[in-house]
Amino acid sequence: MSYAIMVTKENNNAVATASKTEKEFEVEMALCRDMYEKKTRDYGTSWRVLRLPSLTDQIFIKANRIRSIEDSGENRVGEDVEQEFVAMVNYAVMALIQQELGPDGELELPLDRAMELYDKHLNRAARLMLDKNHDYGEAWRMMRVGSMVDLILMKLRRIKQIEDNQGKTLVSEGVEGGYMDIVNYSLFCLIRLHEK
């Protein structure tokens, strides 16, 4: 399945860089999508029983584990950190789906519907990334993976605060923007890890 998103720029270098980023994003998105599909085949959409704060906490557990391993330099469980980034992408997409469907929708979604919703929200996040990447000029390429993990943890703290305030905000974009940023930072981290 292609996640191609059209990018037009006047400057050839900008087009080449955007095209490279888009291709790298597509590779990592396909990796995450494949894992989501396999787990959906194994477990169905059992995650639909989780409330948004529970999904937020699942993402927090993954991000905190990565930071703990980075800080200690020790990975006792031995599970690959790359899989934690994949899980954060997928939990954030699940949160976006939960937000759309609400708690009263059907719990067990057919596979094709689960994939359709996944693709919809993952593609929305990718379009946001391309827009932001244009404005920020590929700044993420100069960032350390650890810094992006810190930004994910900051986004999670913000989401948790909004959840604790029953979704009320004064000037914030709300939890949806936070989840989409978590998707994109996690995909950036996967790209950076695979560059090595």
Side-chain angles (χ1 to χ4, degrees):
M1 167 171 255
S2 174
Y3 294 96
I5 300 164
M6 295 304 294
V7 179
T8 56
K9 305 253 191 273
E10 312 243 334
N11 180 319
N12 286 341
N13 289 336
V15 170
T17 302
S19 178
K20 177 183 180 210
T21 298
E22 188 177 338
K23 286 183 179 118
E24 290 170 325
F25 235 62
E26 287 176 10
V27 167
E28 303 309 336
M29 288 167 65
L31 176 75
C32 296
R33 185 185 195 278
D34 181 62
M35 182 60 72
Y36 174 84
E37 183 173 5
K38 286 176 179 170
K39 289 206 172 196
T40 302
R41 288 181 186 279
D42 285 349
Y43 305 127
T45 54
S46 57
W47 53 267
R48 282 279 292 136
V49 76
L50 297 173
R51 292 170 287 183
L52 280 175
S54 298
L55 286 164
T56 301
D57 286 344
Q58 283 296 102
I59 300 166
F60 173 78
I61 289 167
K62 302 299 184 182
N64 201 58
R65 178 175 181 260
I66 294 167
R67 185 168 172 171
S68 176
I69 289 169
E70 287 175 345
D71 288 348
S72 71
E74 188 176 4
N75 180 352
R76 289 189 183 180
V77 177
E79 292 175 359
D80 193 348
V81 168
E82 174 187 317
Q83 292 306 311
E84 303 293 30
F85 287 112
V86 171
M88 286 194 294
V89 168
N90 289 342
Y91 279 126
V93 173
M94 288 174 198
L96 291 166
I97 294 170
Q98 288 291 64
Q99 204 176 25
E100 177 183 342
L101 298 181
D104 298 327
E106 67 180 297
L107 291 181
E108 195 54 48
L109 301 172
L111 179 63
D112 60 340
R113 178 70 173 141
M115 298 312 299
E116 174 190 323
L117 288 164
Y118 183 89
D119 292 340
K120 171 185 171 182
H121 289 287
L122 189 61
N123 280 314
R124 282 182 60 230
R127 281 191 297 277
L128 176 66
M129 177 280 301
L130 288 174
D131 291 343
K132 286 187 173 184
N133 200 42
H134 169 268
D135 291 353
Y136 288 94
E138 299 269 314
W140 65 273
R141 289 191 183 274
M142 293 170 270
M143 293 177 67
R144 298 172 183 93
V145 169
S147 296
M148 288 189 270
V149 171
D150 289 349
L151 287 170
I152 290 169
L153 286 164
M154 179 188 72
K155 295 282 181 187
L156 288 164
R157 290 181 64 84
R158 288 179 179 178
I159 291 169
K160 288 172 99 165
Q161 184 63 49
I162 292 169
E163 289 170 345
D164 290 346
N165 293 338
Q166 283 74 50
K168 294 183 178 79
T169 61
L170 299 175
V171 295
S172 169
E173 63 190 343
V175 298
E176 182 179 34
Y179 288 130
M180 292 203 333
D181 285 344
I182 290 166
V183 168
N184 288 330
Y185 279 123
S186 298
L187 289 167
F188 285 149
C189 288
L190 285 167
I191 291 169
R192 294 298 310 277
L193 290 175
H194 291 152
E195 284 175 345
K196 296 176 183 179

